[in-house]
Amino acid sequence: MSDPKPDRILAEESDNPWVKLILWAHEDPVRPAYRWNGVMKYLVEERLDTDSAASKRALPLSGEELEHVKNFFPNDTDFKKDQHDITIENHIFSENLSFIGAIFAQPIIFRNCRFKRSVKFYGANFEVGAIFSGSEFSETVDFGDAQFRFAALFERVTFCGQINFYWSENESNLLANFRKAIFEKKTPRFHGLNFHPACDFHGVTWPEIPKRNGDKKTQDAIENALLDQITSYEFIRTQAEHIGQLELRKEMIRRELACRAELAEPSFERLLRKAYGWICDHGTSIGRPAFALLCIWGFTFAAWRGWAAQEAAVTTWDVLYHTGGRMLPFVGGHAYVEEHTLKALRAAPHVLHFLSAMAAILSPFLLFLMALALRLKFRMSV
């Protein structure tokens, strides 16, 4: 796949000292974070910040390794002064990256970068800030057990593979901005995390619901994908309700029900779930049941009007009153029709009365679905 943003440059061709540091750290095949953390420890200690987690956990680098690292930076770099943000913009990383257990003692910025292979931040410690805005992760990205001391920014980030924020120990809080992020194939896993009220999911593109295609070889994979999505949507829904983000909660309900409809075995239940999705988008659409109601009334009105054109005793207004009244529960259209006209209507063909009966039966259900969607839309409670 070609890079949609040609201004990006390959990491191996970069003059950015932090990119060079990453590549040098990954020359260690066992634990790349050892070298990275050693540099963080040196920078922190040079600023006399001895209380930092970096100075407590990281192992020091040898003098030879430190001199090698210093050659990545301009000659006039003063490591005793506060360093600015670790800024990496418009880069392409072609190989797997592992920051397992890495410490980021300064703000880290990966802006508009592309990671073509998997990236692991498992157990990483972001002590200040983390910005990944505009970047793209082509494969798996793992933030499991990662600690974000401040807000993490994932605005407009594209996640093409699995995304993991799983927290395996005690519950932890997550403050992150996913505005306009794109989850192409997988739903992110946030289990073990409590969303901060400032978490932002506005404009997020969620993955498509996997569809059964009848292929037995892929059936298990599709079912597993649906189960994974249901689990993720259930968790996000509960967190969204907890922090009062009701639009996010509504979207998670809709997507969870859509997954369950696709997961259901061929049966009457599956048919009902599918119909529920088609008619009202799983309880979230006002327009769909309203349109269905209008179509039923329009078809019934047209049928009755075609018959009434041949009956002098029945006018267009009579047909309107009669068919409209049958669409509203507990309201009879005959209440607005004269007695002689009512006799003519009763003498109409049986098929017309059958259509009116079906309209009278279906309209309360459609009105109920509209009310359900209105309740969700305007946050009404019972």
Side-chain angles (χ1 to χ4, degrees), residues 97-157:
L97 295 181
S98 175
F99 293 96
I100 297 177
I103 298 169
F104 299 95
Q106 299 170 209
I108 179 74
I109 300 173
F110 285 101
R111 184 179 286 114
N112 192 33
C113 292
R114 183 184 179 195
F115 302 88
K116 299 177 70 174
R117 303 293 294 276
S118 66
V119 187
K120 296 180 180 179
F121 289 96
Y122 184 86
N125 189 338
F126 297 91
E127 295 191 355
V128 186
I131 299 175
F132 296 88
S133 300
S135 294
E136 175 185 333
F137 294 93
S138 299
E139 295 187 4
T140 301
V141 55
D142 187 358
F143 288 96
D145 282 350
Q147 298 184 51
F148 296 95
R149 305 291 184 182
F150 294 86
L153 303 184
F154 296 95
E155 295 174 298
R156 305 180 310 281
V157 172

Side-chain angles (χ1 to χ4, degrees), residues 288-306:
R288 287 190 188 184
F291 180 73
L293 194 65
L294 181 63
C295 288
I296 293 173
W297 173 79
F299 182 76
T300 305
F301 175 81
W304 276 92
R305 183 66 188 87

